[in-house]
């Protein structure tokens, strides 16, 4: 039976009242997989939704509550109100608001963030593979937001580079504005985690542009991201997750986030000394060993390759190289 929208609104308010009455309840801390998507054939119609899991489709938050925004960044900017609505939608799961997965094209969980912040040399085992010293403080660089592409979109090889490489990374997204954040408070500023591939043109990163990394990291399509923004409550321990990259089905990176030198809290505290963090900002936390440039001989991506990045509890992204 299809419920009218006014009935959904009443159910939503009733659930909200009951949830807020539970002592100590933090609705915004709910375990959810938030996605940004469009319907197949409607590439311009960006929506935010909640993945119901087990292939049961995506709840369109705008259809559930017309006051909800159409992008993840706007949802995060709403703070607790947006997260509470997403949780209510997941609990009610009204059939008329559910989009079957066959009709969904998943986009990057965040489009056009204010910042994409990256941490270099942040896995102990990655430092060891290149005989590099363990950094004493985070090495920070960036990618332009225009490098972001979807979890199943193509990686485009630029004519300007012959040495394009893979880097599976755990990424996190900032959920609220902050500056000079203390480590002990840092996780309250993190909305959730996602999977990233820090695609890198090694010739431009290591041999050109005065050894500044930016240009080698920021070609269009060089930041596949997704498939979902997994809220912090849904991840048991972000610093103890299996992390893998496969190229054409062969494992090239296989490690664990327990190898991270500077963990999420330290990175948030460090970077927020220099810049104000804003909802939607994306952080890439570094890559484990197994990248192509340090193989003997070096191996780089070529047209027709398929790159799959996997992180336990977070998800899988898969991108064709064209």
């Amino acid at each position: 039976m299809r419920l009218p929208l006014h009935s959904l609104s009443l159910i939503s308010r009733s659930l909200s009242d009951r949830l807020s009455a539970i002592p100590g309840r933090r609705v915004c801390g709910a375990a959810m997989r938030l996605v940004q998507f469009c319907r197949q054939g409607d590439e311009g119609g960006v929506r935010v939704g909640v993945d119901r899991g087990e292939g049961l489709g995506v709840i369109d938050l705008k259809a559930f509550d017309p006051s909800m925004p159409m992008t993840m960044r706007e949802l995060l900017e709403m703070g607790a109100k947006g997260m509470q609505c997403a949780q209510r939608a997941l609990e009610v799961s009204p059939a008329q608001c559910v989009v079957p997965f066959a009709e969904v094209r998943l986009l990057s969980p965040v489009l056009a963030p204010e910042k994409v912040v990256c941490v270099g040399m942040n896995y102990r085992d990655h430092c060891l593979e290149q005989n590099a010293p363990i950094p004493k403080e985070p090495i920070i660089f960036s990618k332009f937001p225009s490098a972001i592409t979807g979890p199943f979109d193509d990686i485009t090889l630029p004519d300007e580079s012959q040495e394009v490489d893979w880097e599976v990374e755990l990424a996190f997204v900032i959920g609220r504005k902050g500056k000079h954040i203390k480590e002990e408070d840092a996780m309250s500023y993190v909305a959730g985690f996602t999977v990233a591939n820090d695609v890198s043109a090694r010739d431009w990163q290591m041999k050109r542009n005065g050894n500044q990394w930016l240009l080698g990291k920021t070609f269009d399509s060089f930041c596949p991201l997704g498939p979902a923004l997994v809220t912090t409550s849904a991840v048991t321990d972000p610093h103890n997750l299996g992390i893998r990259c496969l190229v054409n089905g062969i494992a090239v990176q296989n490690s664990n986030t327990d190898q991270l030198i500077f963990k999420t809290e330290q990175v948030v505290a460090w970077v927020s000394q220099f810049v104000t963090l804003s909802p939607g900002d994306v952080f890439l936390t570094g890559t484990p060993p197994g990248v192509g440039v340090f193989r003997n001989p070096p191996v780089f991506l070529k047209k027709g390759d398929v790159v799959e990045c996997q992180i336990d509890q977070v998800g899988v992204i898969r991108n064709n190289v064209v």
Side-chain angles (χ1 to χ4, degrees):
M1 181 179 68
R2 294 172 63 92
L3 294 173
L5 284 176
H6 73 273
S7 296
L8 291 176
S9 178
L10 289 172
I11 293 171
S12 176
R13 286 199 295 270
S14 174
L15 274 171
S16 179
D17 293 343
R18 281 183 282 157
L19 289 167
S20 62
I22 300 174
R25 172 81 178 198
R26 292 187 61 195
V27 178
C28 59
M32 294 181 289
R33 298 180 65 86
L34 302 172
V35 297
Q36 202 163 228
F37 71 99
C38 63
R39 287 178 179 264
Q40 296 285 359
D42 182 17
E43 305 304 310
V46 178
R47 311 288 271 217
V48 183
V50 187
D51 182 353
R52 298 176 70 201
E54 300 179 359
L56 297 177
V58 172
I59 303 167
D60 184 340
L61 288 185
K62 189 76 171 176
F64 177 75
D65 183 340
S67 72
M68 287 295 104
M70 298 178 70
T71 70
M72 187 76 74
R73 183 173 170 181
E74 292 172 310
L75 182 73
L76 295 175
E77 287 170 347
M78 292 182 70
K81 180 182 177 182
M83 295 299 104
Q84 289 167 2
C85 179
Q87 186 186 0
R88 292 195 303 269
L90 184 60
E91 291 173 342
V92 176
S93 291
Q96 60 265 50
C97 301
V98 176
V99 183
F101 264 112
E103 300 176 17
V104 167
R105 179 188 166 218
L106 289 177
L107 307 174
S108 164
V110 180
L111 296 172
E114 186 179 285
K115 294 180 278 297
V116 180
V117 181
C118 308
V119 189
M121 307 288 292
N122 199 28
Y123 275 72
R124 288 180 181 84
D125 48 6
H126 182 48
C127 292
L128 290 173
E129 80 168 334
Q130 49 190 304
N131 296 314
I134 302 296
K136 290 183 168 40
E137 58 190 27
I139 299 171
I140 303 299
F141 64 98
S142 66
K143 294 167 96 76
F144 290 138
S146 56
I148 290 177
T149 193
F152 305 107
D153 292 343
D154 293 338
I155 296 169
T156 301
L157 296 178
D159 294 336
E160 294 78 8
S161 176
Q162 305 303 312
E163 298 182 358
V164 177
D165 203 350
W166 57 82
E167 290 192 10
V168 60
E169 307 208 8
L170 175 68
F172 64 84
V173 178
I174 295 298
R176 62 190 180 106
K177 190 172 183 178
K179 183 79 184 288
H180 294 296
I181 300 166
K182 297 178 180 178
E183 279 189 33
E184 57 266 31
D185 300 327
M187 288 304 295
S188 71
Y189 288 82
V190 176
F193 296 90
T194 192
V195 182
N197 186 350
D198 179 14
V199 183
S200 304
R202 302 300 187 190
D203 37 10
W204 283 92
Q205 179 189 358
M206 298 177 170
K207 306 170 190 173
R208 305 284 300 275
N209 197 41
N211 292 327
Q212 295 289 321
W213 292 0
L214 176 65
L215 291 183
K217 296 283 189 172
T218 207
F219 283 97
D220 291 351
S221 79
F222 270 28
C223 190
L225 206 62
L229 177 60
V230 182
T231 59
T232 53
S233 296
V235 179
T236 306
D237 179 359
H239 307 119
N240 188 18
L241 301 172
I243 179 169
R244 296 168 295 278
C245 178
L246 288 73
V247 177
N248 302 326
I250 299 171
V252 291
Q253 293 181 277
N254 188 3
S255 186
N256 191 289
T257 58
D258 64 5
Q259 290 290 306
L260 282 166
I261 299 164
F262 302 103
K263 303 190 186 305
T264 303
E265 298 90 338
Q266 294 168 289
V267 172
V268 169
W270 178 261
V271 175
S272 70
Q273 295 177 96
F274 305 95
V275 295
T276 299
L277 303 186
S278 301
D281 285 350
V282 176
F283 280 69
L284 276 61
T285 60
T287 198
V291 295
V293 69
F294 295 126
R295 292 174 175 267
N296 188 14
V299 177
F300 299 110
L301 294 173
K302 62 186 183 301
K303 182 179 177 180
D305 285 345
V306 179
V307 185
E308 183 172 302
C309 296
Q310 310 170 348
I311 301 179
D312 295 348
Q313 298 183 36
V314 182
V316 177
I317 63 176
R318 187 179 301 105
N319 306 93
N320 295 323
V321 179
V322 301

